[in-house]
Amino acid sequence: MSQRSFASTEYALKKKRTRREKFLDEMERIVPWSRLEAAIAPSYPRSGRVGRPPIGVPKMLRMYCLQQWYGLADEALEDALYDSQAMRDFVGIDLSRESVPDATTLLKFRRLLLANDLTKALFDEINAHLGQQGLLMRSGTIVDATIIAAPSSTKNAKGERDPDMHQ
């Protein structure tokens, strides 16, 4: 049984939910995490090697997504994870039991994804999954990253595209 720290208990009792919390809760709900983790797992190092054991794929994947969604450098994400309880909760980090992975660990994970051609595959999977649910993710900043309902591309009663409308 895990016991919450005083800080996390105090945070859980606050009255207002921030836009960041709402956004991260929505992403937790709609992103196909298990499919993404399964795509990374064959390329990810396993424990039993010399040195520190690797951080789990779920945490690293969520940190990578935070980095992309909020446009953060490796060092900035490390700092943001120490600063933001909402981000730590999303990733699954409890500071009373573990520290935040450092910027070098994040860099190595990004390089692993690039070396195995996984970055485009991951975000294509996310966007396809969101598209199936009628959602669209637009890039933004740490202040305004949002999920919006994507309008249908059909415009008329017959369900055909308007010939005057094009991209």
Side-chain angles (χ1 to χ4, degrees), residues 102-123:
D102 62 5
T104 304
T105 303
L106 298 169
L107 173 66
K108 288 179 182 179
F109 184 74
R110 280 190 306 105
R111 287 183 176 164
L112 177 120
L113 294 178
L114 285 171
N116 292 285
D117 295 323
L118 292 170
T119 53
K120 183 170 176 9
L122 292 176
F123 284 99

Side-chain angles (χ1 to χ4, degrees), residues 62-98:
R62 282 171 171 74
M63 285 190 289
Y64 178 72
C65 288
L66 284 175
Q67 190 173 35
Q68 300 307 308
W69 295 333
Y70 291 103
L72 299 172
D74 298 330
E75 293 83 6
L77 179 60
E78 181 182 356
D79 290 346
L81 285 166
Y82 276 112
D83 286 342
S84 172
Q85 181 70 44
M87 286 184 165
R88 284 194 307 273
D89 287 347
F90 177 75
V91 173
I93 294 174
D94 181 355
L95 290 178
S96 66
R97 291 177 175 69
E98 62 191 319

Side-chain angles (χ1 to χ4, degrees), residues 30-44:
I30 63 176
V31 171
W33 295 107
S34 58
R35 293 191 338 218
L36 300 177
E37 292 164 13
I40 297 170
S43 306
Y44 198 70

